[in-house]
């Protein structure tokens, strides 16, 4: 684990890089507006009355916080690992006195710091237009933030683990698309997970996907309460531990395999 | 014309040769494509368990729409993304000069140079979904298929023109790499009937991000519900954006000052 000063320096560096390329960030953010588009459709559909226990206010809250969750957890680490292996960019990272994971993670945090000042006002304005503010949101906020941080870790470790494929195959990016699709479509970005058919929901419960986006969002809007929140955090921790162990094991094998192209 | 066809074949051969080096990916990507189309259909089905219709369209009609979106997505992936997204790189690295001195129109060259024909499986998936949807609606007639083909071509022309126009901006603002994400957003918004959106968004999705013309019109044509106003509108829009994009391209070429020495 690197020192606090080292992490702060990395963060400042990556924040600067992200600021420089903010035109690109904006385009990425446009891509992340799918929850907002889906909100428009569900709000129209809900005009005829609540659907599966979701009324207009619930839909507005669900998709606005889904937008926030989606925008705070994007991961392009498979792309970074693929590039790192292919042109040997990974080699200098390996020489530094900290795990390359910290470089990758801080690049994502720097980007997030750039995004939040744009994302948060959009959520606030959306809640105002949809007249969906409520005091209970404030009470759920700490649990939401905690859930979101763990969600970020799950998503990041899933991607890191899949990214290890880059050490053996030149097609790791193909898997990035698969994981991305699962993360988006099974995460609740298009249809809230609670509105999935029950059979699908019970299969999904055995995968990490609903714990990345849907779980924290449902905690925020009060559709998961009391003991179930703690149980959800427990399952999130379980996935972080399992995936983290898998990654650590795979990383060791991968490094033995790594032949440092371009070094 | 004949010379151009010959060139396109040559380009395809060159691209396939490069791709054969990395063929391990094709099987994986086909699987991924089936998985992602399957998930879209599953989500659609989940939505229709809750509501009887979306924007007045039935499940089968929206299924045709999903097939059209998938087909167009793959046209982008096979053709426009590999070709047009290189414009930015050409301009940034100053490689564009080499293209300009070739004895064919530069627009032709950037359009056809990199056709990833090995990815055709995706196209098959899209067309299959359209076929299944049309069969379930009961609208499989040769007239509807002809209409579908005409309006799919119009859609491809619209997407091409928008993609080219956005990429042409690279001449002025040399850092627009993620142009493609605009097109992906298009595919999500386009998977639903425009009538399912609130009125202000319908305007947006007709003229700014023209999913109405690109996805809705071909789906209506395939299911035998196309009104002549919308049909003519789509054709006029396609002509308009194509001319606009070509004009912008020529303007950019005239003002191009090399990035290399």
């Amino acid at each position: 684990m690197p020192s606090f000063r080292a992490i702060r320096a990395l963060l400042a560096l990556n924040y600067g890089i992200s600021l420089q390329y903010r035109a690109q960030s904006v385009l990425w953010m446009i891509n992340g507006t799918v929850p907002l588009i889906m909100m428009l459709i569900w709000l129209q559909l809900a005009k005829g009355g609540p659907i599966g226990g979701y009324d207009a206010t619930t839909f507005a809250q669900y998709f606005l916080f889904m937008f926030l969750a989606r925008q705070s957890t994007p991961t392009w680490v498979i792309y970074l690992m693929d590039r790192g292996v292919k042109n040997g960019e990974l080699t200098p990272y390996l020489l530094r006195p900290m795990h390359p994971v910290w470089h990758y993670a801080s690049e994502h945090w720097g980007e997030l710091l750039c995004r939040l000042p744009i994302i948060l006002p959009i959520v606030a304005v959306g809640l105002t237009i949809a007249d969906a503010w409520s005091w209970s949101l404030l009470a759920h906020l700490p649990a939401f933030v905690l859930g979101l941080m763990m969600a970020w870790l799950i998503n990041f470790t899933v991607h890191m683990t899949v990214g290890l494929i880059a050490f053996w195959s030149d097609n790791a990016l193909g898997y990035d698309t698969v994981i991305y699709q699962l993360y988006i479509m099974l995460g609740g970005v298009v249809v809230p997970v609670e509105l999935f058919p029950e059979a699908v929901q019970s299969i999904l419960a055995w995968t990490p996907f609903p714990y990345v986006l849907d779980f924290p969002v449902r905690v925020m809007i009060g559709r998961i309460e009391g003991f179930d929140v703690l149980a959800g955090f427990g399952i999130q921790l379980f996935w972080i531990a399992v995936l983290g162990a898998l990654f650590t094991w795979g990383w060791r094998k991968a490094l033995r395999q790594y032949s440092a192209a371009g070094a | 014309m004949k010379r151009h066809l010959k060139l396109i074949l040559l380009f395809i051969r060159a691209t396939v040769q490069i791709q054969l080096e990395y063929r391990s990916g094709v099987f994986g990507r086909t699987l991924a494509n089936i998985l992602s189309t399957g998930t879209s259909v599953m989500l659609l089905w989940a939505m229709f368990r809750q509501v009887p219709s979306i924007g007045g369209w039935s499940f089968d009609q929206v299924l045709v729409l999903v097939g059209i979106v998938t087909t167009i997505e793959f046209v982008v992936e096979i053709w426009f993304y590999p070709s047009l997204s290189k414009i930015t790189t050409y301009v940034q690295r100053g490689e564009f000069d080499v293209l300009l001195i070739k004895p064919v129109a530069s627009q032709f060259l950037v359009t056809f140079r990199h056709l990833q024909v090995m990815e055709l499986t995706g196209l098959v998936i899209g067309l299959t979904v359209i076929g299944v949807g049309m069969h379930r609606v009961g609208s499989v007639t040769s007239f509807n298929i002809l209409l579908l083909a005409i309006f799919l071509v119009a859609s491809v022309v619209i997407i091409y023109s928008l993609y080219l126009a956005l990429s042409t901006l690279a001449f002025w603002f040399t850092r627009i790499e993620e142009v493609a994400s605009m097109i992906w957003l298009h595919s999500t918004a386009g998977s639903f009937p425009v009538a399912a959106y609130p009125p202000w968004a319908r305007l947006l999705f007709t003229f700014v991000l023209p999913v109405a013309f690109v996805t809705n019109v071909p789906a209506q044509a395939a299911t035998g519900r196309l009104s002549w106003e919308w049909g003519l509108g789509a054709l006029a829009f396609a002509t308009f954006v194509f001319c606009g994009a070509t004009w912008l391209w020529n303007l950019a070429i005239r003002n191009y000052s090399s990035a290399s020495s």
Side-chain angles (χ1 to χ4, degrees):
Chain A
M1 180 109 176
S3 69
F4 178 68
R5 265 186 58 205
I7 294 180
R8 209 177 54 189
L10 273 179
L11 201 58
L13 170 76
N14 282 301
Y15 178 63
I17 294 175
S18 298
L19 265 187
Q20 210 171 1
Y21 293 123
R22 56 187 176 274
Q24 223 169 337
S25 302
V26 169
L27 279 170
W28 277 338
M29 273 190 278
I30 291 177
N31 197 18
T33 50
V34 174
L36 300 182
I37 293 181
M38 289 315 298
M39 175 174 77
L40 296 180
I41 291 183
W42 282 105
L43 283 179
Q44 288 288 107
L45 290 174
K47 276 189 177 159
I51 300 168
Y54 279 58
D55 60 10
T57 311
T58 325
F59 275 123
Q61 289 176 340
Y62 185 88
F63 284 109
L64 284 167
F65 287 108
M66 182 56 83
F67 171 68
L68 178 57
R70 161 76 182 86
Q71 294 281 6
S72 342
T73 53
T75 316
W76 54 97
V77 74
I78 298 186
Y79 166 75
L80 295 179
M81 288 171 83
D82 182 65
R83 202 179 64 186
V85 172
K86 270 185 188 152
N87 41 358
E89 275 172 36
L90 181 64
T91 315
Y93 285 168
L94 288 174
L95 292 173
R96 293 191 194 161
M98 62 176 92
H99 201 291
V101 165
W102 290 100
H103 287 276
Y104 293 144
S106 60
E107 186 176 324
H108 290 69
W109 297 335
E111 170 76 23
L112 183 59
L113 283 181
C114 271
R115 277 183 190 200
L116 281 180
I118 307 172
I119 303 301
L120 291 175
I122 294 179
V123 176
V125 169
L127 285 172
T128 311
I129 293 176
D131 197 16
W133 281 104
S134 109
W135 284 109
S136 64
L137 292 178
L138 204 60
H140 299 145
L141 190 62
F144 175 64
V145 173
L146 182 64
L148 211 51
M149 283 156 84
M150 299 225 270
W152 187 90
L153 270 174
I154 296 178
N155 200 32
F156 192 70
T157 37
V158 168
H159 280 76
M160 287 289 290
T161 311
V162 175
L164 290 173
I165 294 173
F167 285 89
W168 286 273
S169 150
D170 53 24
N171 188 39
L173 282 178
Y175 296 90
D176 190 48
T177 328
V178 180
I179 299 288
Y180 175 77
Q181 295 278 4
L182 296 173
Y183 152 67
I184 294 294
M185 305 223 256
L186 302 181
V189 166
V190 179
V191 179
V193 174
E194 270 184 288
L195 301 186
F196 283 12
E198 253 137 53
V200 179
Q201 279 190 58
S202 53
I203 298 170
L204 272 186
W206 292 92
T207 72
F209 298 107
Y211 292 95
V212 179
L213 297 172
D214 182 71
F215 168 71
V217 171
R218 252 151 81 180
V219 168
M220 183 62 175
I221 65 175
R223 305 234 8 137
I224 298 181
E225 281 178 315
F227 178 74
D228 290 341
V229 178
L230 289 179
F233 285 148
I235 298 174
Q236 281 190 316
L237 274 179
F238 165 79
W239 280 114
I240 295 169
V242 169
L243 291 160
L246 197 64
F247 170 74
T248 319
W249 174 77
W251 179 258
R252 270 200 213 112
K253 297 209 120 186
L255 278 195
R256 242 172 272 148
Q257 163 85 22
Y258 179 60
S259 56
Chain B
M1 190 64 197
K2 209 170 149 203
R3 178 162 151 263
H4 284 99
L5 278 178
K6 227 162 141 185
L7 272 174
I8 293 178
L9 283 179
L10 258 176
F11 291 155
I12 291 179
R13 218 169 67 200
T15 318
V16 168
Q17 267 169 3
I18 297 175
Q19 270 194 307
L20 281 176
E21 298 262 306
Y22 304 99
R23 83 199 123 204
S24 64
V26 175
F27 176 72
R29 280 196 294 276
T30 308
L31 211 65
N33 293 338
I34 294 176
L35 186 75
S36 93
T37 310
T39 320
S40 306
V41 174
M42 191 276 286
L43 286 182
L44 190 64
W45 176 64
M47 278 182 94
F48 271 94
R49 277 177 76 250
Q50 309 287 349
V51 291
S53 73
I54 297 179
W57 293 40
S58 70
F59 174 77
D60 296 330
Q61 288 165 341
V62 183
L63 194 62
V64 175
L65 193 56
V66 169
I68 283 167
V69 170
T70 314
T71 311
I72 292 174
E73 253 176 29
F74 284 108
V75 172
V76 171
E77 201 157 304
I78 293 167
W79 185 358
F80 302 151
Y81 179 70
S83 311
L84 299 178
S85 59
K86 291 206 172 57
I87 294 177
T88 339
T89 330
Y90 293 147
V91 173
Q92 272 169 19
R93 300 201 188 146
E95 291 166 358
F96 196 72
D97 310 30
V98 188
L99 286 183
L100 279 179
I101 55 171
K102 299 241 162 91
V104 247
S106 55
Q107 189 181 345
F108 171 80
L109 215 58
V110 294
T111 307
F112 291 102
R113 184 58 190 87
H114 297 274
L115 284 168
Q116 310 278 34
V117 285
M118 303 274 286
E119 313 280 323
L120 280 177
T121 46
L123 220 53
V124 176
I125 299 172
L127 293 174
T128 310
V129 176
I130 297 180
V132 171
M134 282 175 79
H135 178 74
R136 290 178 56 120
V137 174
S139 64
V140 191
T141 64
S142 39
F143 179 65
N144 284 344
I145 293 175
L146 178 74
L147 275 185
L148 169 68
I150 293 174
F151 287 105
L152 265 183
V153 171
S155 307
V156 169
V157 170
I158 294 175
I159 291 282
Y160 165 76
S161 310
L162 293 181
Y163 213 126
L164 180 69
L166 284 170
S167 310
T168 308
L169 294 178
F171 286 89
W172 287 285
F173 317 95
T174 34
R175 271 215 77 95
I176 315 178
E177 266 154 11
E178 289 295 318
V179 178
S181 25
M182 294 289 285
I183 310 289
W184 299 135
L185 180 68
H186 196 274
S187 70
T188 313
S191 299
F192 294 96
V194 169
Y197 295 98
W200 62 267
R202 279 177 222 165
L203 275 179
L204 182 77
F205 289 140
T206 307
F207 295 109
V208 184
L209 209 67
V211 293
F213 295 130
V214 173
T215 67
N216 280 226
V217 166
Q220 282 165 327
T223 49
R225 295 178 304 133
L226 183 65
S227 68
W228 63 271
E229 295 100 330
W230 275 103
L232 281 183
L235 296 177
F237 192 83
T239 319
F240 171 72
V241 287
F242 182 76
C243 293
T246 312
W247 173 80
L248 191 67
W249 175 260
N250 289 328
L251 184 73
I253 300 281
R254 269 205 303 284
N255 294 323
Y256 173 67
S257 54
S258 168
S260 68
S261 55

